[in-house]
Amino acid sequence: MTAAIASPRPAPDAEPRHSPWPHRWISVRLNALALLTALILSALIIAISDLDKLKHGDVGGMLTNVKDSYIALAKGAFGSLRGFSETVTYATPLIFAGLSVAVAFKAGLFNIGATGQVFAGGLAAVWVGFAIDIPAVPHIILAMAAAAVAGGLWGGLVGLLKARTGAHEVITTIMLNYVASFAVLWLLKTTAFQAHGRSDAVSRDVAKSARLPFLFGFLHRSSIDLRAHFGFVIAIALAVFVWWLLKKSKLGFQFRTLGANPEAARYAGMNPGRLTIGAMLLAGAFAGLGGGSEILGGINQGHATSSFAGNIGFDAIAVALLGRSSPWGTTAAALLFGALQAGGQEMQLQVHVPIDLVLVIRALIVLFVAAPSLTRIIWRLKDSGGEEGAQLFKGWG
Amino acid sequence: MSTPTEVYRDAQLAVGRSLEQIKRSRNLGIVYLILAAITAWRLTSHAGTATFNLSGGHSFGVAATPLAWVVAGSLAVMGGVQLARGLGKWQTAALAAVAVVFIFTLLAWAAAPNSFAFVGMLSQGVTYSAPLIFGAMAGIMCERSGVVNIAIEGLLLSGAFTSALVGSVVNFWVGVGAAMVVAALFAWFLAWLAIRFKVDQVIVGFFINFFVLGLTSFLGNRILAVDEAYNQVRTLVPWKIPGLHSIPVIGPILFEQTIFVYIAFALVAFLAWAFAKTRWGLRTRAIGEHPRAADTLGVNVNQLRYRNVIAAGAVAGFGGSWWTANVGRFNENITNGRGFIALAVVIVGRWSPAGALAGALVFGFFDAMEAKLSFLNTGIPGEFVQMLPYLATIIVVAGFVGRSRAPRAAGQAYDSQ
């Protein structure tokens, strides 16, 4: 955006207005309030949508319903080792894909295409997993590397198109998601991938040597019971890497400069085109690793179906927004989303409240975290100085 | 020593065209040659006559193989001309013609030696394009005012849900009205957060998408699923426009549609006129391009943004009720990403109502063609046909839209001080 039309923003207050609390704590408190507000609003939705009780004015019944739902939610997420394992299982792909979206955000790019990149990575991993016969550790490394490369190429294509032709990544990533999902649907029915004796889109199973070990395998409990797998550890390692990349490395500095001000980046002698391609390559590789981890880990039982990417790419955007694109924030947000998902399963099972409520809670959390002013108005807090979320969208140009 | 590329470039520059134009025209030439190769290589394989059924028992036949050879030859020639000297002002028209001819050849190949309902397919395509048109118009109204609307999907979905629920309980048109109100409320929320709090418009947009998807799925399972009476609307029957519908070919395609299609076309015409000719249109374009200048001239920037975004919400809500009118009920995530396609259509159509109409029709047509081709059982995997519109969008955006002229202030909050 050219400077001429950028309206002058109000100067941030030089000193926060007489708040007794240190700045960091205010932000923590605001986020906690955001979570609380989201839960309260969702409780209202649970209560009101119970038509029978609403008709009879059964307020007590509604409250019980809300209470039972939230207790089931908490139990499902943290109440047992199984709950915790489920939380981790659902969080794992979101960490990978969330980091993918976050890194792109830092470079000023909006990666809606994590779905396609997860597909690309998962497909590469499944092929290496069943077609190659080598011992366990190298097999896993090779399969994950293939996933990263495939996802990276799929993401890098977006960067290339943007750098070379100016095609906006929002459009190309959305379109490439569709292309990837149809390509997967087709590939899984070809002889190169399809499971023997199947006519639908299901791949062969990856070899045992390529499966990621279960996280709680040492407990010797059923793997259906404790599905959390080693992908989680890789995801955390990736978060550390992203932290290092963004905070300590030259490349990360260049990404952040590009994201903050492309003109400044160009003026400082950086190559915006090459950085755009690089950022999308990395973003794609991260999401691709997520696809690999989904396939090689427990949740898909070692094979690919036409929908194994699910809503990961879409949810990852929420995760990155919630985590404000920082690696730790993103990881925490992914864990929160994973907990909600795991808890939501339990809630649906125990109290028969549809799991889709989890989507509502997630959306509201993102809203209140992204718009602290809204949270402040609801809780009648004083404005402690402009710390509104940074602007992500840089226009269509 | 200069490389062949440089020689080529110099030669082209001598003709007086910009580098950008040269690149674009070279890309086009390559695309034409590829299409020619595909036609010669694959589409000449089906012998026999393809019969295209028109309305009222009329039909015409085409010999598939000779057609493919002729088309392949002409495409190759056009590719050569495009590469050698470009087609100047005819370039866009030529592209459109090439697309039409290629698809026609593809259909002839797929159908030969049988027949298929050609006009029926085109008519279906127009039907499918209606919700995309509404979504795209909502997007254009917002973006032209300087507000990025990535929430088209959520607005459409909220309209679909509301019209199904209210339409079942009261009646269809009350349902449509309610859908417009609900979607307008969500749009107001987008405007409020974006203008009052200067929250990033893309974040709010995505919030609306997430929230509406979650809420409609939740309420769908909790309320609509309880009693069929909450989710049952009589589908809308097409309304044949007297006189016009009996025009051969065009009549059944354009004038035997539901009221949604007619309103969609009317809306496009109205917006095209209003943007170009009315005070509202001028002001809207001004606040989307250069809000400060508009402000200086006495336009209340933020007020107009509120109004336009809310009106856009109502348009999207109306578009959302298309699903209720066509399917007769609400299903979870029934819009299934069409709102994002509408967003793409806005960009491919370069933020102009007429351009977006063309884009929406193309997408609608591909939807219809995909259904047809999978029915004809041609041996091309259906997935490739399904992929086509998305690939085509990438090619169009990368090759021809590029760094396009978006409203300059899109995505920027405005401070009137």
Side-chain angles (χ1 to χ4, degrees), chain A residues 5-295:
Chain A
I5 51 117
S7 47
R9 290 173 172 279
D13 291 4
E15 49 182 312
R17 270 171 234 163
H18 316 295
S19 168
W21 306 104
H23 196 75
R24 179 172 283 262
W25 207 88
I26 292 176
S27 148
V28 169
R29 186 180 60 166
L30 265 178
N31 287 348
L33 281 178
L35 182 63
L36 185 65
T37 322
L39 287 176
I40 293 174
L41 281 179
S42 307
L44 271 176
I45 293 171
I46 299 179
I48 295 174
S49 61
D50 196 337
L51 290 185
D52 272 347
K53 296 201 175 71
L54 191 69
K55 273 181 203 149
H56 298 110
D58 182 4
V59 177
M62 287 182 189
L63 286 179
T64 320
N65 198 344
V66 170
K67 192 190 76 185
D68 292 347
S69 304
Y70 280 175
I71 288 176
L73 191 75
K75 268 196 183 151
F78 301 113
S80 60
L81 183 60
R82 179 172 187 276
F84 179 70
S85 160
E86 287 294 284
T87 294
V88 167
T89 308
Y90 287 120
T92 303
L94 293 180
I95 299 176
F96 283 110
L99 289 171
S100 160
V101 178
V103 164
F105 268 148
K106 285 284 184 196
L109 297 161
F110 196 3
N111 180 17
I112 307 183
T115 305
Q117 295 146 16
V118 167
F119 268 134
L123 218 53
V126 84
W127 189 83
V128 172
F130 68 67
I132 294 174
D133 189 20
I134 46 175
V137 174
H139 202 172
I140 291 175
I141 293 175
L142 190 66
M144 286 300 268
V149 169
L153 290 178
W154 199 253
L157 179 62
V158 172
L160 186 72
L161 284 172
K162 171 138 190 168
R164 294 294 287 277
T165 72
H168 200 276
E169 75 275 8
V170 166
I171 298 303
T172 48
T173 50
I174 292 174
M175 295 302 137
L176 282 173
N177 283 345
Y178 284 102
V179 173
S181 70
F182 290 123
V184 166
L185 198 57
W186 172 69
L187 280 171
L188 290 181
K189 284 191 280 190
T190 59
T191 44
F193 280 93
Q194 195 170 38
H196 301 297
R198 295 287 290 255
S199 61
D200 52 343
V202 176
S203 79
R204 264 165 263 168
D205 283 335
V206 301
K208 271 238 156 58
S209 53
R211 297 290 292 271
L212 288 165
F214 288 102
L215 216 49
F216 301 108
F218 58 90
L219 294 175
H220 299 294
R221 276 168 55 176
S222 148
S223 62
I224 299 164
D225 191 24
L226 297 175
R227 298 192 293 169
H229 53 85
F230 205 71
F232 180 68
V233 178
I234 304 175
I236 298 294
L238 185 67
V240 175
F241 169 74
V242 171
W243 170 82
W244 173 84
L245 177 81
L246 290 175
K247 281 279 151 72
K248 304 284 175 192
S249 78
K250 186 176 144 195
L251 187 63
F253 175 74
Q254 292 181 329
F255 282 162
R256 285 187 288 135
T257 313
L258 178 71
N261 188 340
E263 283 310 308
R266 195 189 308 271
Y267 191 69
M270 299 170 192
N271 183 335
R274 216 180 281 170
L275 284 174
T276 300
I277 297 172
M280 282 311 298
L281 264 174
L282 277 179
F286 296 168
L289 282 172
S293 137
E294 281 296 274
I295 291 296

Side-chain angles (χ1 to χ4, degrees), chain A residues 1 7 10 46 49-50 65 110 165 171 175 178 183 186 189 314 356 360 363 367 373-374 377 391-393 396, chain B residues 143 148 192-193 197 200 202 206-207 210 215 217-218 221-222 337 344 347 351 381 383 398 402 408 411-413 415:
Chain A
M1 290 277 102
S7 47
I46 299 179
S49 61
D50 196 337
N65 198 344
F110 196 3
T165 72
I171 298 303
M175 295 302 137
Y178 284 102
W186 172 69
K189 284 191 280 190
F314 206 47
D356 309 291
V360 176
L367 171 72
S373 336
L374 206 58
I377 290 184
Q391 199 179 351
L392 298 167
F393 188 75
W396 294 113
Chain B
E143 303 234 341
V148 167
W192 187 56
L193 283 183
F197 300 112
D200 187 281
V202 169
F206 256 94
F207 156 73
F210 289 131
L215 191 66
S217 307
F218 177 75
N221 279 324
R222 205 157 152 90
I347 291 171
W351 291 267
E383 290 83 11
R408 264 186 163 186
Q412 308 279 324
D415 246 325

Side-chain angles (χ1 to χ4, degrees), chain B residues 206-243:
Chain B
F206 256 94
F207 156 73
I208 293 177
N209 290 335
F210 289 131
F211 183 76
V212 171
L213 177 62
L215 191 66
T216 55
S217 307
F218 177 75
L219 295 180
N221 279 324
R222 205 157 152 90
I223 296 180
L224 300 190
V226 174
D227 188 343
E228 257 316 286
Y230 291 138
N231 193 9
Q232 208 168 39
V233 183
R234 228 172 332 141
T235 54
L236 219 54
V237 283
W239 177 54
K240 296 182 180 178
I241 296 183

